[in-house]
Amino acid sequence: MAASDTRSDPMFDEVIVQIVSQKLGTLLSHPVCVECLSMQTRVKDAKVKLARIQEFFTQYRPSKATEWSGRLLRAMYYAEEFIDKFHLREARERQKALHMAAWPLAALVSKYKLWRDLSILVSKMEELCNDQFLKGEAEGNSKKIPGSSSSHASVRWQGKKFTRLTSFWDRQAATNFSCRKKEEIIKCLKAKGYIEISIWGEQGTGKTFLARWAYSQAKYFGRERRAWVHVSPSMDEGEFLLELLKQAENPAGDAKDMSIEEIRAKLFRTVAELNKVLIVLDDVQLSNWRSLVGPLWRNLRGTQALVITTTRYKEIANYMCYRDRDWDLYPWPIKLEKLDVVESQKMLDWKLHRVSDGQEFSSEEKGILSMCGGLPLSISLLSGFLSNAGEHDHAALAKEDSKMALVDILQLSCHKLPVHLKPCFIYMALFPIGLPIPTRRLVRLWLAEGLLDSHCHDIERKRTRQPEDVGETFILELAYRNVIDVVSWRADGSPKACQMVTSLYDVIRPIAMSTGLLHIHATSKLKDGDDRDPTSQQLQLPAQLRERIKIQWLAEHTDIVTDDRGGSYPNLNLGHVRSFLSFYQRRGMLTKDISAFLRKMTSKTDYSLLRVLDLEGVYKPSLDGVLHKLVLLRYLGLRSTVLDSLPSAVVDLFHLETLDIKHTNITLLPSSFWKARNLRHLHLNWFYIDLKKILKAYSNNVNDLAQLQTLSGLVIGEVKESLMRDHMDSLTTLTTLKLFLQGSSGDTPGAAGEAVADWISSRLTNLQSLTFGVIQEDKPVEKVEPATSLIGPLPKLSLAEKHHDLFELYLLGQLNKPIWTQLLPVSLRVLTLSGSRVKIDMMPELGGLLRHLRTFRLLANSFQGACMTFAKEGFPSLKILKIWNLPQLKEVIIEPGAMLHLKELELRHLDAVGTIQGINKCEELENICVVGKKDPQKLVNHLKEGIGKKVNSYKLEDRKTPESRDDEEDDRDKKGEKFYLYVEK
């Protein structure tokens, strides 16, 4: 963290206190404290005094940093330092495997140091709590606005996951009032030729929201290839062009070695070759629009591209408007004005009450409208705050001036967050602005940093909730408060990716960096003649202060900065870094120097305090010779790094909770890896693993893999039935399982397969997501691709009775006369069937059984009948339906009342289908995709005629796009004509 004399902010003081409080809570559960009453007393004393200080922050808003807050921060830095070093000593001694004679002495010395440091901390906290400042501030602020919203609103999301998802989805705001000017955007999406259009207006008018809507709808107007780039002030031309190329073509690793000229040439060639492309350039600034954006459009003229620019500047908007034909048919720059009174009322109605019929407003709500001045962002943030605030907050806000500046509302939204959300929210500032953050990734990063502990335990430190569950509720809470945007959704309706509201990012990041809580390197040679990073404010501090800064969270947005002697991050103290995230995806300095950089973190102690190492997307980072020093590491993210092997030292990472090697070339894990005691999430890349090793490791010690929740991407071979049944009580904590059985060719799954199915059905009752299938090969292989393998018969599963939390199910394999009421739980929200070879139409039965199903995928050979009927009142919650590769299917019947809320329909390679009756009964249907080799135009015409409304259709070549999902892999070899249909409302 920052040194004591860095600039401070009361909000960040509160965040640091919360972080230390959670570390003390974790320490309270450590065996050292459990077994030593004196140690336990010291920790409890410190927590009690911290709670008093937290209450002070909660009840009052300190106006500024003071000498008292400086002493508080020094005490917090001291506490965090000695707690982490205690864990480091423990991990270091464990790794060194000291002789039994020496270990007790080392443990005794470590315990004494911890007791001594806790005693010092308690003394410091006593002085702080008795200080006159604390009492004086409390008295002086007793009539002021309370400093933080109460956390009572968090109870809203603490129920069962099913209830949370349903409630949150139902609360999502309508887009009518936010997506103004949709008609102008649709006109551009439909158009032919090269077009540039700008969306401009002052901050907070909804420019990015409108552009995001256009981006989501583009493929239904024939613009399947899309690229979105947030044009940050620090972005250079190489980053800009590479990001565009990566999204437009999704190139292999060779593009990472290209020069700027080569990238530019390939980008323009790619755009010219594609039929239509949409490029969105978000938040273009005066500082770089001529150097980055100007050269882009000059080279794209003559293509079929549509370029949408969002900006606050009129001169940029006028400049970025061009059409190569029919000038009068397309809009000039789209200016978003403030909302008028009626529009403002509708938006506030929806945000506060989830209605849009203009009910009677209270005097307080009328005051809110007056404060917001018609800015959609202000209405969104204030309503998000008030929806989660108590009566005193409503009354206090009503006493404010008649109109608040946007910057005041932004600061209010940050300061009013509950204390348990603030560290998690600030952590999001490590990600590049405008980059969608996968919620999976974010929750596990929070977990590794210890930011989720506050709601996991009761007052007696007994765990009542899983931290992953807490993390998901935190995301829902932040989204409900409107401080983050959910930019994409999973098939089950839960948030898939989110990002901090851009305007809040601009508020949070500079303060967090100036306090030393986090540091972001994003070098720009375009902005500063001295080659300094204009966004890295810590580098602009005085030299004597920079040397003392102790960075806690560090992110790399470009390559590692080096000094004249080749040292990484000159003048920054890296020995205290807890999180390191890299988003640099070009081959270069980071790839070659990652080991040297990590060594600098351990140069003084030979060991590192690092808990998070997230290198997702970095090309083949080198971890040899350094991984064994990261003894406290909890999160190792290597997804999409194309690594060929994993250092054997990974088995020594005792605290490791998450290992992600998906989309790498790694096909082997050390056998001793399966003895991991703290591993919670393991993502593999579909390679063969001997299940016997896992089961034997568990049989030797029941604590091994005892906390594992995610086991994804593995293929297991034959295993003795007796061995399987002897260990069926293992791994029962799993919530996500993605597993394929690889057996010899045959008509039955075999005894081992039945044993695995029995294990899943009877023991893994905590599952929320299950992918299960049988593939048959002549001989085992090290790495398989399930979609291209011979599919075998599935063993009998019975999930309906015990799997009440199962939301997502993917079954790959033949189902022999399935009894659906035994196989499928009613809780399912996503169901995918592939290779099932069911001959009797199951739609009438499933439509009544799966009342909560949102997404249904019927993939290759899942149904072998000629007619499929969706019965009346069936699938009442279904939003997305995909039917692929069913060669026997000839007719689809949709009865009145079936699939009333269907929005998306995808039909692939249904060459025998002649009629789809009742398609007009799906009144909410908006988008249809049809792909086929044998005259799909006939089916398209039939659909357009049956819908009975105006339908726009666009023809494309069927080719894999950068956004293709894993579940589309079994369609990889089938190419044809693709049509997108957009139903106009």
Side-chain angles (χ1 to χ4, degrees):
M1 293 184 183
S4 60
D5 48 355
T6 57
R7 289 174 288 172
S8 186
D9 180 275
M11 174 183 175
F12 288 89
D13 298 348
E14 186 180 6
V15 166
I16 295 167
V17 169
Q18 171 69 5
I19 292 173
V20 173
S21 178
Q22 295 196 101
K23 288 193 174 187
L24 285 170
T26 302
L27 187 62
L28 199 57
S29 303
H30 193 281
V32 167
C33 290
V34 174
E35 297 168 2
C36 178
L37 183 60
S38 175
M39 196 86 72
Q40 189 177 132
T41 302
R42 287 288 187 273
V43 176
K44 288 182 177 179
D45 285 348
K47 279 189 65 64
V48 167
K49 291 173 173 58
L50 266 186
R52 181 180 171 188
I53 292 174
Q54 284 183 304
E55 183 179 1
F56 165 72
F57 280 116
T58 300
Q59 296 298 323
Y60 311 105
R61 181 192 298 175
S63 57
K64 60 183 179 179
T66 63
E67 184 273 337
W68 180 87
S69 64
R71 285 192 286 131
L72 172 66
L73 289 181
R74 286 194 292 272
M76 295 300 96
Y77 305 150
Y78 175 78
E80 188 173 28
E81 187 96 351
F82 76 71
I83 292 173
D84 285 350
K85 285 188 175 180
F86 165 73
H87 292 301
L88 183 61
R89 288 195 301 269
E90 185 181 49
R92 182 181 60 197
E93 300 304 329
R94 181 187 297 109
Q95 189 185 68
K96 287 182 177 180
L98 293 178
H99 297 295
M100 294 302 295
W103 171 255
L105 179 60
L108 186 62
V109 171
S110 181
K111 288 180 183 178
Y112 169 73
K113 288 182 178 179
L114 179 61
W115 182 87
R116 178 200 62 192
D117 288 331
L118 282 169
S119 300
I120 295 172
L121 176 64
V122 170
S123 176
K124 291 182 177 182
M125 300 305 299
E126 185 75 29
E127 292 178 4
L128 288 165
C129 288
N130 292 331
D131 194 281
Q132 290 299 317
F133 168 78
L134 194 65
K135 299 176 181 178
E137 280 290 302
E139 294 173 359
N141 285 280
S142 59
K143 298 182 179 181
K144 293 185 179 181
I145 301 176
S148 294
S149 298
S150 62
S151 59
H152 71 277
S154 62
V155 176
R156 185 195 320 276
W157 310 110
Q158 289 184 10
K160 286 283 189 179
K161 182 173 182 178
F162 176 82
T163 305
R164 292 201 310 268
L165 290 180
T166 303
S167 177
F168 182 72
W169 180 266
D170 292 342
R171 289 174 177 273
Q172 290 312 291
T175 60
N176 292 338
F177 50 76
S178 296
C179 278
R180 298 171 289 160
K181 308 288 186 177
K182 288 196 299 185
E183 294 76 13
E184 287 90 336
I185 292 293
I186 289 176
K187 190 180 295 185
C188 293
L189 290 172
K190 289 180 180 179
K192 297 180 180 179
Y194 177 71
I195 298 177
E196 294 169 8
I197 190 67
S198 285
I199 305 171
W200 75 287
E202 68 177 272
Q203 184 182 13
T205 49
K207 303 180 294 296
T208 298
F209 193 97
L210 178 58
R212 192 178 292 135
W213 179 86
Y215 185 86
S216 68
Q217 298 296 309
K219 68 178 182 179
Y220 301 109
F221 294 91
R223 300 186 183 275
E224 191 173 31
R225 292 303 180 105
R226 302 170 295 174
W228 179 294
V229 177
H230 182 91
V231 189
S232 63
S234 62
M235 181 173 281
D236 61 29
E237 186 179 8
E239 296 173 76
F240 177 69
L241 295 175
L242 181 64
E243 186 61 31
L244 286 173
L245 178 60
K246 184 175 64 175
Q247 295 186 50
E249 191 187 46
N250 195 22
D254 58 349
K256 298 176 181 179
D257 285 330
M258 291 182 178
S259 64
I260 292 180
E261 292 73 18
E262 291 172 325
I263 294 174
R264 185 187 298 112
K266 186 168 185 176
L267 172 63
F268 298 145
R269 185 170 61 250
T270 298
V271 174
E273 291 173 354
L274 296 172
N275 185 21
K276 288 184 176 181
V277 175
L278 169 66
I279 296 174
V280 178
L281 306 178
D282 185 37
D283 199 21
V284 178
Q285 306 286 323
L286 288 171
S287 58
N288 56 13
W289 67 288
R290 291 188 182 276
S291 58
L292 297 184
V293 180
L296 177 69
W297 68 260
R298 285 194 293 269
N299 287 278
L300 291 181
R301 285 186 177 179
T303 69
Q304 295 287 312
L306 167 61
V307 179
I308 297 178
T309 301
T310 71
T311 184
R312 303 177 196 177
Y313 304 100
K314 183 176 181 180
E315 52 265 53
I316 297 178
N318 289 332
Y319 181 81
M320 291 299 297
C321 277
Y322 174 85
R323 301 106 180 142
D324 62 7
R325 64 183 73 183
D326 299 331
W327 283 69
D328 295 334
L329 297 182
Y330 306 114
W332 285 99
I334 299 174
K335 183 178 182 181
L336 292 185
E337 304 280 2
K338 295 180 179 179
L339 300 176
D340 60 28
V341 175
V342 174
E343 291 173 326
S344 297
Q345 289 177 343
K346 286 182 178 180
M347 183 173 183
L348 187 62
D349 252 348
W350 183 264
K351 290 287 186 178
L352 284 179
H353 309 296
R354 294 310 185 239
V355 296
S356 56
D357 54 1
Q359 66 175 28
E360 187 68 24
F361 275 21
S362 67
S363 58
E364 290 180 1
E365 291 168 345
K366 291 179 181 178
I368 293 173
L369 288 177
S370 177
M371 290 179 191
C372 295
L375 271 182
L377 179 57
S378 297
I379 296 174
S380 178
L381 292 175
L382 278 184
S383 59
F385 160 61
L386 291 174
S387 296
N388 297 273
E391 294 182 3
H392 54 284
D393 284 318
H394 285 258
L397 188 63
K399 296 178 181 178
E400 291 288 312
D401 295 335
S402 60
K403 185 174 181 180
M404 294 179 69
L406 178 58
V407 64
D408 297 324
I409 295 176
L410 291 169
Q411 292 177 352
L412 181 71
S413 298
C414 297
H415 284 275
K416 291 284 189 176
L417 285 175
V419 65
H420 62 273
L421 292 180
K422 286 179 179 177
C424 297
F425 183 62
I426 293 172
Y427 196 90
M428 295 177 68
L430 288 169
F431 287 78
I433 184 171
L435 178 71
I437 309 170
T439 54
R440 157 199 56 81
R441 185 179 182 183
L442 186 58
V443 168
R444 290 169 194 177
L445 289 169
W446 289 345
L447 169 68
E449 268 294 339
L451 303 181
L452 302 179
D453 194 55
S454 58
H455 280 197
C456 292
H457 302 86
D458 60 17
I459 194 171
E460 297 178 352
R461 293 301 299 170
K462 293 181 180 179
R463 175 167 286 183
T464 57
R465 305 174 67 198
Q466 293 296 333
E468 293 82 359
D469 190 51
V470 172
E472 290 178 3
T473 65
F474 282 10
I475 287 177
L476 296 182
E477 211 173 333
L478 288 169
Y480 190 60
R481 291 173 180 273
N482 300 322
V483 294
I484 66 172
D485 292 326
V486 177
V487 295
S488 64
W489 302 86
R490 293 191 183 97
D492 62 6
S494 63
K496 181 180 181 180
C498 61
Q499 63 189 45
M500 187 183 293
V501 173
T502 302
S503 297
L504 289 174
Y505 186 97
D506 294 336
V507 171
I508 287 290
R509 175 174 149 172
I511 303 175
M513 292 180 67
S514 67
T515 60
L517 181 61
L518 59 84
H519 176 79
I520 298 169
H521 172 238
T523 298
S524 172
K525 295 183 179 180
L526 300 173
K527 295 290 295 172
D528 194 317
D530 297 328
D531 259 6
R532 293 178 301 181
D533 176 6
T535 62
S536 294
Q537 295 168 1
Q538 290 176 356
L539 294 180
Q540 299 174 21
L541 296 174
Q544 66 274 18
L545 184 55
R546 292 202 306 265
E547 293 173 359
R548 295 199 298 272
I549 286 181
K550 300 175 181 179
I551 305 300
Q552 178 161 351
W553 300 335
L554 176 63
E556 180 58 71
H557 291 183
T558 57
D559 58 336
I560 291 177
V561 65
T562 58
D563 56 24
D564 295 336
R565 295 166 292 179
S568 302
Y569 290 100
N571 297 325
L572 291 181
N573 187 339
L574 302 180
H576 300 266
V577 173
R578 269 74 168 187
S579 281
F580 177 63
L581 289 73
S582 178
F583 302 93
Y584 184 68
Q585 299 188 7
R586 296 190 67 186
R587 299 180 187 180
M589 292 301 296
L590 183 60
T591 301
K592 293 183 290 186
D593 288 353
I594 187 67
S595 290
F597 168 66
L598 293 174
R599 287 191 188 100
K600 182 171 182 178
M601 288 186 183
T602 61
S603 60
K604 294 183 179 180
T605 63
D606 290 331
Y607 289 92
S608 172
L609 296 174
L610 201 68
R611 291 189 291 246
V612 169
L613 181 58
D614 190 349
L615 304 177
E616 184 169 325
V618 176
Y619 183 78
K620 291 190 175 182
S622 174
L623 300 175
D624 292 327
V626 71
L627 194 60
H628 69 283
K629 296 183 177 184
L630 310 181
V631 291
L632 295 182
L633 201 65
R634 296 180 183 178
Y635 181 102
L636 182 55
L638 301 174
R639 180 178 292 220
S640 302
T641 56
V642 206
L643 276 175
D644 298 314
S645 62
L646 194 63
S648 59
V650 71
V651 301
D652 298 324
L653 302 179
F654 176 82
H655 294 279
L656 191 65
E657 295 173 339
T658 298
L659 175 63
D660 191 345
I661 56 174
K662 189 174 182 179
H663 301 313
T664 66
N665 297 322
I666 298 171
T667 59
L668 182 66
L669 288 176
S671 58
S672 56
F673 178 80
W674 301 108
K675 297 181 180 180
R677 295 193 176 189
N678 293 295
L679 193 66
R680 301 179 69 88
H681 303 285
L682 178 61
H683 294 271
L684 306 176
N685 197 39
W686 293 113
F687 57 83
Y688 175 82
I689 287 179
D690 188 348
L691 185 61
K692 290 184 290 186
K693 293 182 180 180
I694 305 177
L695 296 177
K696 286 182 176 180
Y698 182 83
S699 65
N700 293 333
N701 192 329
V702 294
N703 291 321
D704 295 344
L705 300 178
Q707 300 187 57
L708 191 64
Q709 294 192 21
T710 301
L711 183 56
S712 173
L714 73 158
V715 181
I716 63 173
E718 292 289 347
V719 61
K720 290 182 179 181
E721 178 189 2
S722 59
L723 179 62
M724 185 69 224
R725 296 194 182 278
D726 288 343
H727 301 288
M728 286 179 64
D729 289 331
S730 64
L731 305 180
T732 55
T733 56
L734 287 174
T735 59
T736 299
L737 176 64
K738 296 186 178 182
L739 164 73
F740 285 97
L741 291 172
Q742 179 178 291
S744 57
S745 299
D747 296 329
T748 61
E754 295 290 352
V756 172
D758 190 21
W759 170 60
I760 293 173
S761 300
S762 61
R763 298 294 191 271
L764 304 188
T765 56
N766 294 312
L767 284 177
Q768 297 176 7
S769 176
L770 172 63
T771 296
F772 182 60
V774 176
I775 54 176
Q776 294 179 340
E777 300 288 341
D778 294 334
K779 58 182 179 180
V781 293
E782 289 188 351
K783 185 175 181 180
V784 300
E785 305 234 2
T788 62
S789 304
L790 180 63
I791 298 174
L794 272 174
K796 184 179 179 180
L797 288 168
S798 297
L799 305 174
E801 181 181 357
K802 297 182 178 180
H803 291 70
H804 304 300
D805 295 325
L806 188 63
F807 302 111
E808 185 169 5
L809 178 63
Y810 186 126
L811 296 177
L812 176 68
Q814 184 175 346
L815 295 173
N816 184 22
K817 298 180 180 179
I819 302 175
W820 298 109
T821 54
Q822 294 180 6
L823 173 61
L824 304 178
V826 296
S827 58
L828 282 181
R829 298 173 74 91
V830 183
L831 176 61
T832 304
L833 300 176
S834 183
S836 309
R837 300 185 181 277
V838 178
K839 296 181 180 179
I840 300 176
D841 185 10
M842 65 279 207
M843 291 302 115
E845 184 176 1
L846 294 184
L849 177 66
L850 304 178
R851 310 292 293 176
H852 305 292
L853 197 70
R854 298 180 60 86
T855 299
F856 194 6
R857 304 185 187 107
L858 288 160
L859 304 187
N861 297 310
S862 55
F863 177 60
Q864 293 186 325
C867 180
M868 183 182 294
T869 300
F870 293 90
K872 181 180 179 180
E873 298 182 356
F875 299 109
S877 302
L878 197 67
K879 304 284 187 182
I880 301 171
L881 175 62
K882 297 186 178 185
I883 307 176
W884 294 1
N885 304 338
L886 304 182
Q888 284 81 29
L889 186 63
K890 297 180 180 179
E891 183 181 20
V892 176
I893 299 174
I894 303 174
E895 296 182 354
M899 302 188 294
L900 287 177
H901 300 293
L902 186 69
K903 292 186 178 295
E904 296 183 23
L905 175 63
E906 189 169 308
L907 308 172
R908 285 178 176 259
H909 302 291
L910 306 179
D911 296 330
V913 172
T915 60
I916 298 182
Q917 298 181 22
I919 189 70
N920 61 315
K921 304 300 182 182
C922 301
E923 296 185 357
E924 294 186 18
L925 187 63
E926 296 177 351
N927 304 310
I928 304 174
C929 176
V930 178
V931 180
K933 281 186 176 181
K934 298 180 180 179
D935 193 19
Q937 182 70 62
K938 184 178 179 181
L939 180 58
V940 170
N941 294 337
H942 171 72
L943 288 169
K944 293 172 69 173
E945 182 179 346
I947 290 173
K949 298 179 181 178
K950 186 175 181 181
V951 179
N952 298 290
S953 61
Y954 301 90
K955 179 179 178 181
L956 297 169
E957 177 190 355
D958 183 26
R959 55 187 297 181
K960 193 176 177 77
T961 67
E963 297 145 353
S964 296
R965 294 179 293 275
D966 292 341
D967 60 33
E968 297 178 352
E969 290 298 315
D970 66 354
D971 197 47
R972 72 178 67 191
D973 295 326
K974 293 199 171 189
K975 300 299 179 183
E977 294 179 323
K978 176 184 289 187
F979 291 84
Y980 280 113
L981 285 74
Y982 178 81
V983 183
E984 293 193 2
K985 302 297 182 181

